Amino acid sequence: MYQSALKQIGYAILYGAFFLLFFHAMQGKLYDFTMAHFSGNTEAQHEGQPNQELVKLKRPFAKISEDKFGIWDAAVYKSIRDNMYQIDQGEYTHVRPAFFPLFPMIWRISQLDYRGISVFNYLIFILSLTLLSFALIEDPVRRFLMFVFALSLPQLIFYMIPYTESIFMLSGSLAIFGLMRNRPVLWWIGLFAMGMSRPATFFVIGSFALAEAYNFFRSTERLKYLYGSILRAMPLLLGYLIAIGIQYYYTHSWTALSAAQSYWNGHWQMPTNISDWSAEGFGMSCFAICFICLPMLIYFVLKYLRAYDRQESLPLASLFEAGIVERKDYIFSASGWYMIFMLVFIMFYKGGGLQSFSRYIFASPMFYVLFFLLPQPRKAIKPLVIWLVCVMALYRFMTVNLYGDNRVRFEFEGMYQLVLASLIFILLPKIPRPLQYLSLAGLACINLFWTGYMFNTFLRHGWIFT
């Protein structure tokens, strides 16, 4: 086990080091021979000032210097690190409560600068992905392939900057590892940390509740199962409430979170305009809707109708007493419900504004649970038909919603990369081993260009891919 884990961690560190070499090379003439021909850089006219007009320029990548990181959410997290939620100290005092305290507290303890905490986040992500892969995939060959695959997806950028996503990922992975390895203490620690890491934990609570309800109604020992469900939910709810309590301690307001969210036009409303802050985010969000959220909704409708018809029962008093199959089904269901809840939230709370939606979906342990547990049938015909239906749905969705103008440009590369990755996911078990590694190597190379482009956008303060 340890040798396999070290193999995965070693590959991820090597890939990260290769990315830094690639990014450094793009600061010179290599950029003129490559990306200058098909992509400009999204940059702010005046670095360090948010909410300003962005421009497209063709010049080499920026230097990775400390002064370039203090923008957007990274600056808010640093302000919380230095001042917590005190309303009379620091910047961003009105929006700080929209961010939970665990990541800034860890950052403060570490005493790292912007660049140091970014490296720390990437290492935490590697550890998280390793834990999750070992929890959910038994076959060592497939585990390594899927680990390499996961590192080659376009959301990698979120784990290379001073954001909370890595802590959110680690806490969820630790909880799932505890469940699958029958270690309740790890489950409780992970869920407690998860509750303190992001406000989106509210939807995690709801998704776990529905997964618990499904097992509760099938259980032949409902009272015992209900008691166990309450105990399992306590650390997640406790962590969330403590995060709110910390905010109250500094702001003297129990509604600081909702008040801060109002700055992003957050209130319950009917969707009126499907849009985003960037073409990059819009493309990936559209993929998430058509390939993940809506298919999961259809999956649950069919699953629950089938269970109702069969009147299935489950002789289960505790989830920790269940078999591996039941535990995986539980985690898979909770992750799927999280995706649906996030879609409902973005449509009816933000009125169809897709900003940050792709980050909520892809930069979460729930996405990787679906990625690792989604079955890969031996026959590819049925999955390919489903894939084609999703592609047609994506095409239709993109033609109805005209945001982003021309779709054949590099800003949509993240979306096209996900479409390609979904096809490789279907075909991967059907092709010879050398072709498997070759296809993943090609995807990893493509991801270097996308991640480099997005990281440079962040450093140039043109970051609108929130």
Side-chain angles (χ1 to χ4, degrees):
M1 173 181 173
Y2 295 106
Q3 289 183 343
S4 298
L6 289 175
K7 179 181 177 181
Q8 293 182 189
I9 293 172
Y11 170 81
I13 292 175
L14 185 64
Y15 187 70
F18 192 77
F19 169 77
L20 289 178
L21 291 174
F22 168 82
F23 196 88
H24 179 74
M26 283 292 177
Q27 294 169 358
K29 292 186 176 180
L30 180 62
Y31 177 84
D32 297 328
F33 293 109
T34 55
M35 294 191 71
H37 294 286
F38 54 83
S39 170
N41 300 319
T42 303
E43 303 182 17
Q45 285 186 325
H46 305 285
E47 294 182 1
Q49 300 179 19
N51 301 321
Q52 59 173 301
E53 184 179 353
L54 302 175
V55 295
K56 278 286 185 182
L57 298 176
K58 291 191 176 182
R59 60 172 174 166
F61 284 3
K63 302 291 183 181
I64 305 177
S65 58
E66 181 71 11
D67 61 306
K68 294 184 180 297
F69 281 82
I71 195 67
W72 295 102
D73 291 7
V76 181
Y77 281 121
K78 185 176 184 298
S79 184
I80 299 172
R81 184 200 74 171
D82 297 336
N83 308 287
M84 291 303 288
Y85 299 98
Q86 298 185 55
I87 58 177
D88 58 345
Q89 295 185 18
E91 300 177 294
Y92 311 103
T93 55
H94 297 296
V95 300
R96 272 190 239 152
F99 302 80
F100 270 14
L102 183 58
F103 169 63
M105 292 167 65
I106 293 173
W107 191 356
R108 184 169 187 167
I109 293 171
S110 72
Q111 292 295 303
L112 294 169
D113 58 11
Y114 275 122
R115 289 176 294 184
I117 199 65
S118 298
V119 173
F120 175 82
N121 272 349
Y122 181 66
L123 295 176
I124 289 296
F125 170 65
I126 294 171
L127 175 61
S128 307
L129 201 61
T130 301
L131 280 174
L132 201 59
S133 65
F134 270 84
L136 300 177
I137 305 175
E138 290 80 17
D139 178 55
V141 176
R142 182 173 182 270
R143 184 195 305 132
F144 182 74
L145 280 173
M146 297 305 291
F147 180 86
V148 171
F149 202 158
L151 278 175
S152 304
L153 298 175
Q155 66 266 27
L156 184 64
I157 178 62
F158 295 124
Y159 302 104
M160 292 180 164
I161 55 178
Y163 276 34
T164 191
E165 270 62 34
S166 289
I167 300 301
F168 187 60
M169 179 74 181
L170 177 62
S171 57
S173 299
L174 188 65
I176 294 168
F177 186 85
L179 175 64
M180 299 306 300
R181 296 302 174 96
N182 203 29
R183 297 177 183 177
V185 173
L186 295 181
W187 168 268
W188 292 329
I189 292 173
L191 287 191
F192 178 78
M194 200 177 206
M196 291 189 64
S197 61
R198 281 179 66 180
T201 305
F202 179 81
F203 301 102
V204 179
I205 296 172
S207 63
F208 275 115
L210 284 181
E212 293 280 6
Y214 176 67
N215 282 344
F216 170 79
F217 285 111
R218 294 193 303 157
S219 176
T220 56
E221 300 183 60
R222 290 183 178 177
L223 286 179
K224 289 183 179 180
Y225 191 86
L226 178 61
Y227 176 72
S229 296
I230 294 172
L231 289 181
R232 284 190 295 275
M234 286 301 295
L236 185 61
L237 186 59
L238 184 62
Y240 190 87
L241 292 177
I242 287 179
I244 297 294
I246 291 173
Q247 293 183 348
Y248 175 79
Y249 177 81
Y250 289 99
T251 65
H252 306 291
S253 171
W254 290 110
T255 60
L257 172 61
S258 59
Q261 288 178 335
S262 66
Y263 286 91
W264 286 271
N265 192 32
H267 61 274
W268 292 108
Q269 56 191 301
M270 292 300 294
T272 55
N273 182 34
I274 307 299
S275 63
D276 206 320
W277 290 345
S278 69
E280 294 89 344
F282 180 72
M284 290 182 62
S285 294
C286 291
F287 176 91
I289 292 171
C290 298
F291 276 76
I292 300 175
C293 299
L294 293 180
M296 286 307 305
L297 180 60
I298 295 171
Y299 165 80
F300 282 127
V301 169
L302 296 176
K303 176 182 178 178
Y304 294 151
L305 286 175
R306 184 167 58 249
Y308 178 78
D309 289 339
R310 294 178 180 177
Q311 296 294 314
E312 295 176 343
S313 62
L314 192 65
L316 187 65
S318 170
L319 188 63
F320 282 95
E321 297 174 0
I324 295 296
V325 174
E326 285 79 13
R327 297 186 203 190
K328 285 184 177 181
D329 181 71
Y330 171 83
I331 293 298
F332 187 87
S333 296
S335 300
W337 278 118
Y338 171 83
M339 303 297 169
I340 296 170
F341 281 148
M342 291 311 308
L343 177 61
V344 172
F345 170 75
I346 211 76
M347 287 296 176
F348 295 100
Y349 190 77
K350 292 192 174 182
L354 299 181
Q355 54 270 18
S356 300
F357 180 63
S358 59
R359 178 157 58 99
Y360 295 152
I361 295 296
F362 294 110
S364 71
M366 284 66 73
F367 169 79
Y368 291 101
V369 166
L370 298 179
F371 183 72
F372 287 150
L373 288 184
L374 197 66
Q376 294 178 307
R378 294 180 180 179
K379 295 183 179 180
I381 300 301
K382 185 177 179 180
L384 282 174
V385 171
I386 296 174
W387 181 82
L388 286 172
V389 170
C390 291
V391 168
M392 289 188 290
L394 177 62
Y395 174 79
R396 179 59 179 166
F397 191 84
M398 297 285 284
T399 53
V400 171
N401 300 283
L402 300 179
Y403 178 87
D405 300 324
N406 180 19
R407 304 291 195 251
V408 188
R409 54 194 177 108
F410 191 79
E411 285 83 346
F412 287 97
E413 194 275 339
M415 180 190 72
Y416 292 123
Q417 184 180 334
L418 286 168
V419 173
L420 175 62
S422 63
L423 180 60
I424 293 175
F425 181 89
I426 295 171
L427 299 178
L428 198 65
K430 323 297 185 301
I431 59 179
R433 188 60 49 79
L435 282 180
Q436 290 179 341
Y437 284 109
L438 185 62
S439 59
L440 293 183
L443 197 62
C445 291
I446 293 172
N447 198 44
L448 285 177
F449 285 91
W450 171 258
T451 305
Y453 166 79
M454 292 310 305
F455 189 54
N456 181 64
T457 300
F458 178 81
L459 295 179
R460 295 288 191 188
H461 293 188
W463 183 258
I464 31 134
F465 187 64
T466 59

